Amino acid sequence: MTDPRTFAVEELRKLLLVEEIDTDLFRGAAAPDSPGRVFGGQVIAQALAAAAKELREDHHAHSLHAYFMRPGDMLRPIIYRVLRDFDGGTFANRRVVAMQGGNPILNLAASFQRPEDGFSHAAPMPEVYAPEQCPDMQDVLRKKGAPLPKHLQDRLAAFEIRPGPPSSNVVDGVGVPSQYLWFRLAGPIGGDPAVHRIVTAYASDFALLTTAVLPHDIKFFSPQLQAASLDHAVWFHRTPPVDDWLLYYMDSPWSGHARGFARGTIYDRAGTMVASVAQEGLCRRREPPGET
């Protein structure tokens, strides 16, 4: 019998690796068992997978910048149109438009680079608890009597996730709230660097925007909070080994005007910085029914 988590990893691979249906035109699979709004990380990852098609094998994604425009529908496939803007000796650039029902839901630009040596420095990994010292996320939620909704369980099924204690660090509106989690795929996914970057792009949307809500008197999944990603950027410093533990350290230096801004840094188990992330999202308090 196939291990459920191994099956979930394979299903994630199938979901993220898009199907080519014509020249520079790709289709991302629907998830008919999970109705609702498409997870932003899925659209980003599928768009990156489409952008990476037809590139030379020695070019790897080093950055992506995406803007969300409309919520996607999980019950419908997503069509990705790729524009080949530039192919140079060192760099290549692609633009991708993700569409449903004839309307764009996301625009993404990605840049790819042929590996080369250069100046090197990096900020050290922050001192945090090791993954073995952090509780499993599902156990934490069960003890709190707040299990994840089914669509979130499906979204995270292929991963092991161990959150550390968050820190609001905000007094009188000044400070930088932060949190971190360890994550890894629940099974091996092969050695293709492009796949590891695509999976990292998917995971980069985990919990990031929630950091901007930490110091405020509202829970992220409260019905009184309207939250949605507006834009998202990832810089890949090297190939993230997604089937080993990765630390995702997040902070939020600013929120205001119904928007929250959050940053993330991803390190491998050895403390090497492998990716940086930034996101701004809508964080709006809903008025209770009957009030204006």
Side-chain angles (χ1 to χ4, degrees):
M1 180 179 293
T2 304
D3 178 74
R5 289 201 165 187
T6 302
F7 177 78
V9 171
E10 182 57 30
E11 288 298 295
L12 179 67
R13 175 197 278 273
K14 292 178 182 177
L15 177 68
L16 299 185
L17 299 184
V18 294
E19 172 194 4
E20 184 173 5
I21 56 178
D22 204 339
T23 303
D24 295 332
L25 200 63
F26 302 88
R27 177 166 48 211
D33 294 332
S34 301
R37 190 171 68 180
V38 177
F39 173 48
Q42 174 188 323
V43 189
I44 291 169
Q46 288 180 333
L48 179 60
K53 296 282 190 180
E54 309 303 327
L55 277 171
R56 286 168 288 183
E57 291 185 2
D58 62 344
H59 279 66
H60 303 297
H62 73 86
S63 69
L64 66 84
H65 299 260
Y67 280 92
F68 294 93
M69 290 168 284
R70 296 176 176 86
D73 182 354
M74 286 291 289
L75 297 178
R76 304 179 66 178
I78 303 172
I79 302 301
Y80 297 90
R81 181 175 293 279
V82 177
L83 301 174
R84 307 188 192 195
D85 286 339
F86 176 73
D87 284 288
T90 299
F91 291 94
N93 293 80
R94 298 288 186 268
R95 280 180 293 152
V96 184
V97 180
M99 305 188 70
Q100 276 189 332
N103 292 316
I105 64 173
L106 173 133
N107 285 340
L108 177 140
S111 183
F112 301 80
Q113 182 186 15
R114 177 175 52 81
E116 61 180 289
D117 294 328
F119 300 111
S120 179
H121 74 273
M125 184 170 74
E127 294 185 7
V128 298
Y129 292 114
E132 293 80 10
Q133 297 173 294
C134 297
D136 181 86
M137 184 183 67
Q138 298 283 13
D139 292 340
V140 171
L141 293 174
R142 276 194 292 267
K143 288 178 180 178
K144 289 183 176 180
L148 282 174
K150 185 179 186 304
H151 71 281
L152 293 179
Q153 292 180 27
D154 293 341
R155 183 182 304 171
L156 304 177
F159 294 87
E160 295 180 61
I161 300 177
R162 298 189 177 184
S167 174
S168 65
N169 291 331
V170 174
V171 178
D172 295 330
V174 177
V176 182
S178 64
Q179 63 179 337
Y180 69 90
L181 57 82
W182 292 91
F183 73 92
R184 67 179 177 185
L185 280 175
I189 201 166
D192 185 347
V195 174
H196 284 250
R197 283 170 165 79
I198 290 165
V199 172
T200 302
Y202 179 90
S204 69
D205 202 20
F206 290 171
L208 185 56
L209 189 57
T210 69
T211 317
V213 181
L214 281 178
H216 305 289
D217 62 343
I218 193 168
K219 300 295 184 184
F220 190 77
F221 293 109
S222 167
Q224 292 182 325
L225 177 68
Q226 182 182 3
S229 301
L230 297 173
D231 64 331
H232 191 94
V234 183
W235 294 264
F236 299 99
H237 310 311
R238 59 179 62 213
T239 300
V242 292
D243 41 18
D244 195 2
W245 287 114
L246 294 171
L247 172 68
Y248 195 3
Y249 185 86
M250 298 161 273
D251 67 15
S252 175
W254 178 87
S255 67
H257 309 293
R259 306 192 313 275
F261 175 69
R263 305 174 296 197
T265 310
I266 302 176
Y267 297 85
D268 67 17
R269 181 66 186 265
T272 302
M273 185 188 296
V274 297
S276 298
V277 187
Q279 184 180 83
E280 189 174 52
L282 178 70
C283 297
R284 175 188 291 152
R285 190 185 294 273
R286 299 178 191 267
E287 295 297 334
E291 295 187 18
T292 59

